[in-house]
Amino acid sequence: MGFSDEQLERYSRHIILKEVGVKGQKKLLQSRVLIIGTGGLGAPAAMFLAAAGVGTIGLVDFDGVELSNLQRQIIHLTKDVGKPKVISGRETIGEMNPDVEVVPYQEWVSSGNIQDIIRDRDYDFIIDGTDNFPAKFLINDACVLSGKPFSHAGIIRFQGQTMTYVPGQGPCYRCIFRNPPPADSVPTCKQAGVLGVMGGIIGTIQATEAIKYILGLGDLLTGALLTYDALKMEFRRVKLPHNKKCQVCGEEPSITELIDYEQAACDLN
């Protein structure tokens, strides 16, 4: 696969990096990343992955664009209000980088479809951009059972957190958070609010993790939870152990089939 003159110019700042180069840029163009949730986290992650030249980006989201989304979901514009988020996202990415194929999935993820979506393009890396516990546990379990790496993240108020799971290299989300919290124990996004830029900060870190994984560069957030407090302007990296008794990735897993939990609440109290 050769590069056109336009591609050489578009990706020139990548190509001059010795850690990326022509070979690395080709890897990115041949890679496939699935983003579940095209909101505060998924929107900036999708835009930076598209700009980087990730060749195939899957977008999963059932919702339509609402005016209140525009405070943080930068892939959508005012003219997109009322439009399905996955279509709005595909249009924005198309205008940004025609090299990228966007595959829209306008549906809720559930135990009945998530593995089919992951297998649809045999995605290399999954980004969890959702805002509720049932989806986060579902994505974790689906990725563990499918042997797929993924980036978890959550934002609320002025705080954010993210970690990366790679099969065989550290804990999964359920190692740290065994089960979803009781109903109504954590405020929802609408109740608690969120600083708009939080999604950009944490979502961009998720995109960075995806790119590093694809290129085989640096240290990933495996075995670590990165937290961010915007008011204190403070990042903190917390070491996380693998739980050998984890219900899904432990030595004797008890969860071998996906579970649909019923609860709508934002992550990270």
Side-chain angles (χ1 to χ4, degrees), residues 63-103:
D63 287 339
V65 179
E66 299 178 3
L67 193 58
S68 62
N69 300 151
L70 304 184
Q71 167 250 16
R72 63 201 177 281
Q73 299 178 18
I74 59 172
I75 204 168
H76 313 299
L77 304 177
T78 302
K79 67 180 178 62
D80 297 320
V81 170
K83 188 181 296 182
K85 287 185 179 180
V86 293
I87 302 304
S88 170
R90 181 176 65 180
E91 291 174 354
T92 300
I93 290 173
E95 292 179 8
M96 176 191 295
N97 190 349
D99 287 344
V100 180
E101 178 189 7
V102 178
V103 185

Side-chain angles (χ1 to χ4, degrees), residues 86-220:
V86 293
I87 302 304
S88 170
R90 181 176 65 180
E91 291 174 354
T92 300
I93 290 173
E95 292 179 8
M96 176 191 295
N97 190 349
D99 287 344
V100 180
E101 178 189 7
V102 178
V103 185
Y105 304 91
Q106 191 183 356
E107 49 191 306
W108 296 109
V109 288
S110 69
S111 62
N113 65 9
I114 188 169
Q115 289 180 308
D116 288 336
I117 292 173
I118 292 171
R119 285 192 294 259
D120 182 46
R121 297 298 177 97
D122 190 21
Y123 288 99
D124 301 306
F125 193 90
I126 319 299
I127 288 180
D128 171 12
T130 63
D131 65 354
N132 64 86
F133 285 111
K136 292 187 179 302
F137 278 89
L138 179 67
I139 292 167
N140 175 82
D141 295 353
C143 287
V144 172
L145 294 177
S146 301
K148 293 290 185 179
F150 79 98
S151 169
H152 150 79
I155 55 173
I156 199 168
R157 301 190 184 102
F158 300 92
Q159 297 174 301
Q161 67 179 31
T162 182
M163 63 176 280
T164 298
Y165 166 80
V166 176
Q169 297 183 30
C172 74
Y173 182 72
R174 200 182 277 273
C175 283
I176 314 307
F177 309 100
R178 182 182 175 91
N179 292 303
D184 302 322
S185 65
V186 180
T188 66
C189 289
K190 289 183 179 180
Q191 293 169 331
V194 62
L195 187 68
V197 298
M198 292 301 303
I201 294 166
I202 303 299
T204 302
I205 292 174
Q206 290 185 282
T208 306
E209 290 288 276
I211 291 170
K212 285 164 54 185
Y213 175 82
I214 291 164
L215 296 178
L217 294 178
D219 298 321
L220 298 172

Side-chain angles (χ1 to χ4, degrees), residues 10-11 25 29 35 43-55 57 75 89 92-94 96-100 102 207 211:
R10 179 186 291 273
Y11 305 119
Q25 190 59 51
L29 286 164
I35 301 174
M47 293 184 74
F48 271 103
L49 291 174
V54 169
I57 297 176
I75 204 168
T92 300
I93 290 173
M96 176 191 295
N97 190 349
D99 287 344
V100 180
V102 178
I211 291 170

Side-chain angles (χ1 to χ4, degrees), residues 207-267:
T208 306
E209 290 288 276
I211 291 170
K212 285 164 54 185
Y213 175 82
I214 291 164
L215 296 178
L217 294 178
D219 298 321
L220 298 172
L221 286 170
T222 50
L225 181 72
L226 184 69
T227 65
Y228 173 62
D229 186 319
L231 294 180
K232 296 179 180 179
M233 196 52 71
E234 180 178 87
F235 282 95
R236 184 180 176 207
R237 183 172 176 142
V238 182
K239 190 173 181 179
L240 302 175
H242 173 243
N243 180 5
K244 294 182 179 180
K245 296 182 179 181
C246 176
Q247 300 171 85
V248 69
C249 77
E251 295 176 349
E252 297 181 2
S254 58
I255 295 175
T256 56
E257 295 182 357
L258 297 178
I259 304 168
D260 287 314
Y261 292 102
E262 293 185 6
Q263 181 193 342
C266 253
D267 201 7

